[in-house]
Amino acid sequence: MFDNQEVFDDIVLSELSDKELTKQMSEDLYDGLAEEIAEGTQILLDRDWKATDVMDEALVKGMVVVGNDFRDGILFVPEVLMAANAMKAGMALLEPILTASGIEPIAKMVIGTVKGDIHDIGKNLVGMMMEGAGIEVFNLGINTDAEEFINALEEHNATILGMSALLTTTMPYMKVVIDELKERGIRDKYTILVGGAPLNEEFADAVGADAYCMDAGIAVETAKRFISAAS
Ligand code: B1M
């Protein structure tokens, strides 16, 4: 008897070509299969793939499909959470590589997802890539309010503030944080970078941030640009 599960069980990830494997990983991510995602990630790393390529080609691309189907009502929160967990299983293997710069920190950064928002995958990715570029990162997690951002900036003597928002309803909170810094007369002590899928440059300008960062790579380049301009 033809059994789909049997066919599925027969797939040996290590026997797939790179192209087949990344395609299979996108499907596994969609299905929330954390173990398979971890295995596929490790296989690509063992095949000398760069960690950033594994992230972009195998993980982020799969997550875009999940996002579209979530938007279109094909997937619901539990399935998206499983996909997010699967992505995290892959990222856990990439993290030590992305964060291993082995050099003295060139700057300190506080990063968090703003109040009301619990999306943290992209923000964590940015944090990891910053660490890999030699920036010491204090990751405040999700649902972060202005007081927490400002306290952390002062406590750690950081010069860069990174804020993330994935919801159109939470992105305006970035202005609350920046206005509070202005109110306290300390806005200009910091480089403020913002990011998240619904943002754009216009929005960053409107809330008074220094720059909008479309993705983690651009966030790192932008941070470095501001660091060298200040030194
Ligand atoms: Co949510 N969600 N979600 N969700 N979710 C989105 C964002 C959404 C676009 C899906 C959709 O409808 N297509 C939609 C927002 C619509 C809108 O506001 N316009 C949405 C919604 C509606 C919701 C809920 C309201 C659903 C509900 O409950 N009815 C709810 C909100 C909860 C809340 O926050 N209060 C919700 C919940 C969830 C889950 C918990 C199920 C889960 C989050 C799990 C987690 O993060 N731990 C989830 C997920 C996974 C998503 C999608 C599918 C994927 C987000 C993601 O991780 N992308 C997302 C759809 C999408 O974005 N396509 C969606 C991968 C990640 C690598 O990309 O986060 O964009 P991204 O980060 C990038 C860049 O944006 C940038 O660099 C990163 C790496 O390149 N970047 C920065 C991000 N932050 C930065 C900070 C910087 C710099 C760059 O600082 C310097």
Side-chain angles (χ1 to χ4, degrees), residues 67 70-71 116 118-122 164 166-168 196-197 214-216:
F70 186 35
R71 178 196 59 211
I118 63 167
H119 296 87
D120 66 355
I121 297 176
S164 179
L166 267 284
L167 299 173
T168 44
M214 198 184 71
D215 60 31

Side-chain angles (χ1 to χ4, degrees), residues 55-56 60 63-64 66-72 76-78 80-81 84 87-88 91 109 111-112 116-123 125-126 130 142 161-170 193-198 212-217 219:
M55 193 172 81
D56 291 340
V60 173
M63 210 59 186
V64 169
V66 172
N68 292 343
D69 282 2
F70 186 35
R71 178 196 59 211
D72 298 339
F76 297 95
V77 170
V80 178
L81 262 181
M87 177 144 180
K88 282 185 177 178
M91 276 169 44
M109 172 182 203
I111 192 166
D117 202 319
I118 63 167
H119 296 87
D120 66 355
I121 297 176
K123 180 261 302 169
L125 218 49
V126 173
M130 291 285 180
I142 54 171
L161 169 62
M163 289 189 281
S164 179
L166 267 284
L167 299 173
T168 44
T169 49
T170 57
L193 308 179
V194 294
Y212 158 68
C213 308
M214 198 184 71
D215 60 31

Side-chain angles (χ1 to χ4, degrees), residues 2-13 15-16 23-37 39:
F2 188 76
D3 180 342
N4 268 338
Q5 186 59 38
E6 225 168 75
V7 171
F8 177 78
D9 285 344
D10 279 350
I11 296 174
V12 179
L13 296 181
E15 288 175 359
L16 301 180
K23 184 168 175 286
Q24 183 61 43
M25 284 174 72
S26 285
E27 287 170 19
D28 288 349
L29 191 91
Y30 191 94
D31 293 333
L33 302 176
E35 269 180 38
E36 285 75 1
I37 289 298
E39 188 186 339

Side-chain angles (χ1 to χ4, degrees), residues 5-213:
Q5 186 59 38
E6 225 168 75
V7 171
F8 177 78
D9 285 344
D10 279 350
I11 296 174
V12 179
L13 296 181
S14 59
E15 288 175 359
L16 301 180
S17 69
D18 286 6
K19 198 170 164 205
E20 289 165 336
L21 179 57
T22 50
K23 184 168 175 286
Q24 183 61 43
M25 284 174 72
S26 285
E27 287 170 19
D28 288 349
L29 191 91
Y30 191 94
D31 293 333
L33 302 176
E35 269 180 38
E36 285 75 1
I37 289 298
E39 188 186 339
T41 300
Q42 191 57 55
I43 293 170
L44 289 174
L45 290 173
D46 291 343
R47 289 182 190 173
D48 288 334
W49 274 51
K50 274 168 49 190
T52 46
D53 290 341
V54 179
M55 193 172 81
D56 291 340
E57 294 303 315
L59 303 181
V60 173
K61 272 191 182 163
M63 210 59 186
V64 169
V65 182
V66 172
N68 292 343
D69 282 2
F70 186 35
R71 178 196 59 211
D72 298 339
I74 297 164
L75 290 182
F76 297 95
V77 170
E79 289 109 322
V80 178
L81 262 181
M82 283 180 69
N85 280 340
M87 177 144 180
K88 282 185 177 178
M91 276 169 44
L93 293 167
L94 301 181
E95 181 168 14
I97 304 166
L98 294 173
T99 58
S101 71
I103 46 174
E104 277 295 298
I106 53 171
K108 292 182 184 178
M109 172 182 203
V110 163
I111 192 166
T113 302
V114 298
K115 188 175 166 185
D117 202 319
I118 63 167
H119 296 87
D120 66 355
I121 297 176
K123 180 261 302 169
N124 290 343
L125 218 49
V126 173
M128 286 178 207
M129 300 266 296
M130 291 285 180
E131 292 212 331
I135 296 168
E136 188 173 2
V137 174
F138 300 92
N139 189 336
L140 306 187
I142 54 171
N143 197 22
T144 312
D145 69 19
E147 202 63 29
E148 291 169 293
F149 276 122
I150 295 170
N151 287 345
L153 284 167
E154 291 182 338
E155 183 193 338
H156 300 297
N157 211 10
T159 54
I160 306 173
L161 169 62
M163 289 189 281
S164 179
L166 267 284
L167 299 173
T168 44
T169 49
T170 57
M171 56 194 242
Y173 192 77
M174 293 177 170
K175 185 168 183 325
V176 175
V177 179
I178 297 174
D179 285 351
E180 185 58 33
L181 286 164
K182 285 182 183 162
E183 184 76 21
R184 298 187 192 190
I186 52 174
R187 159 68 184 91
D188 293 339
K189 280 175 69 180
Y190 305 110
T191 297
I192 303 180
L193 308 179
V194 294
L199 277 63
N200 56 32
E201 243 168 274
E202 233 178 5
F203 172 82
D205 284 348
V207 296
D210 291 299
Y212 158 68
C213 308

